[in-house]
């Protein structure tokens, strides 16, 4: 008898689920048996509609929501609409984020603020509003998207690293303070994963070659490989896992 990851009857919300890892996670949640998967995205465009269709094909009910995760009201409304639709929120995947490169000399203050708003404040808003319902319903699972840059400091940008390190700290604070309500909080720290964000950050083939050479697995990850970890963390198989940051880096540790 095998062991399989089941999210049967769970209601999930994935932010930034229109593309990249968020899309893969939303579809993996649907495949694992979620009764409903809500996706909060910047725009209600064709890509988002397509994700909705794919969720349906996997036997789950989609809920597509347009909104900006750096706007606390948009996040509150998204969480509320999940509970209105399915009566509960079992899984919150705080995935949406933006990648920016820079150093201390060329990073404008407004870009610093933007990255912190989108990558970190959004996670606080999601946790705050979802945890309120999860506490009432007797539990839930929150997964936050950090990055290897948040673990090591990285070299991408001061704002990016600080935002992702903040996500890891929020995850630990959440695990310590929400555990007594049956709420588990974990983070994932992916390395290089093949998405539009990675394409945009590393356009130069030479730079890509150098970066990929640092990965013991010899290649960047596939969004599906991160989605598999998210499904495990969301499931009851991870019932005693909380406060952790899971590296999904193909063995890269620095
Ligand atoms: N790709 C990588 O190598 C990598 C590595 C580590 C961590 N991450 C993190 O993983 C997450 C997903 O990254 P990806 O590579 O899939 O990126 P992506 O750019 O392919 O997808 C990100 C999605 O988030 C959405 N989004 C962006 N800002 C938003 C906002 N303000 N409100 C709502 N939605 C918003 C975008 O529209 C897009 O659909 C991000 O948090 C990123 O920082 C990526």
């Amino acid at each position: 008898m095998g062991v399989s990851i089941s999210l049967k009857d769970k209601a999930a919300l994935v932010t930034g689920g229109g593309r990249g890892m968020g899309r893969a996670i939303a579809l993996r949640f649907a495949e694992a048996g979620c009764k409903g998967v809500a996706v909060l995205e910047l725009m209600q465009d064709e890509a988002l509609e397509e994700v909705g269709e794919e969720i349906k094909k996997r036997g789950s009910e989609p809920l597509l929501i347009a909104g900006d995760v750096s706007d606390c009201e948009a996040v509150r409304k998204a969480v509320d609409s999940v509970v209105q639709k399915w009566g509960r929120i079992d899984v919150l995947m705080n995935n949406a984020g933006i990648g920016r490169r820079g150093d201390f000399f060329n990073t404008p203050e407004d870009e610093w603020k933007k990255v912190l708003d989108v990558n970190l404040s959004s996670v606080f808003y999601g946790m705050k509003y979802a945890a309120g319902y999860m506490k009432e319903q007797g539990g839930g699972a929150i997964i936050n998207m950090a990055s290897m840059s948040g673990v090591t400091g990285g070299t991408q940008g001061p704002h990016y690293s600080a935002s992702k390190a903040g996500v890891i700290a929020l995850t630990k604070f959440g695990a310590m303070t929400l555990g007594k309500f049956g709420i588990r909080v974990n983070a994932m720290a992916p390395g290089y994963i093949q998405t539009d964000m990675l394409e945009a950050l590393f356009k130069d083939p030479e730079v890509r070659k150098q970066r990929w050479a640092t990965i013991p697995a010899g290649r960047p990850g596939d969004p599906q490989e991160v989605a598999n970890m998210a499904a495990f963390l969301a499931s009851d198989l991870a019932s005693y896992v909380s406060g952790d940051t899971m590296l999904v880096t193909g063995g890269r540790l620095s």
Side-chain angles (χ1 to χ4, degrees), residues 200-241:
L201 286 171
F202 300 108
K203 289 202 180 84
D204 181 344
E206 208 35 54
V207 174
R208 293 158 78 100
K209 221 170 111 190
Q210 284 164 11
R211 294 293 176 128
W212 297 182
T214 66
I215 309 170
R219 61 171 177 86
D222 186 273
Q224 190 61 49
E225 294 175 294
V226 179
N228 290 339
M229 177 62 84
F232 167 71
L233 291 174
S235 78
D236 298 342
L237 283 180
S239 52
Y240 205 56
V241 181

Side-chain angles (χ1 to χ4, degrees), residues 60-79:
S60 185
E61 197 180 359
L63 174 63
L64 308 178
I65 309 163
D68 185 332
V69 291
S70 64
D71 170 3
C72 61
E73 274 305 291
V75 177
R76 190 181 58 75
K77 279 190 197 150
V79 171

Side-chain angles (χ1 to χ4, degrees), residues 16 19 21 41 68-69 95 97 145-146 160 164 190-191 193 195 197:
R19 285 206 310 275
M21 280 187 261
E41 252 298 339
D68 185 332
V69 291
N95 162 78
M145 189 64 92
Y160 191 75
K164 295 302 188 181
I193 309 294
T195 66
M197 182 184 289

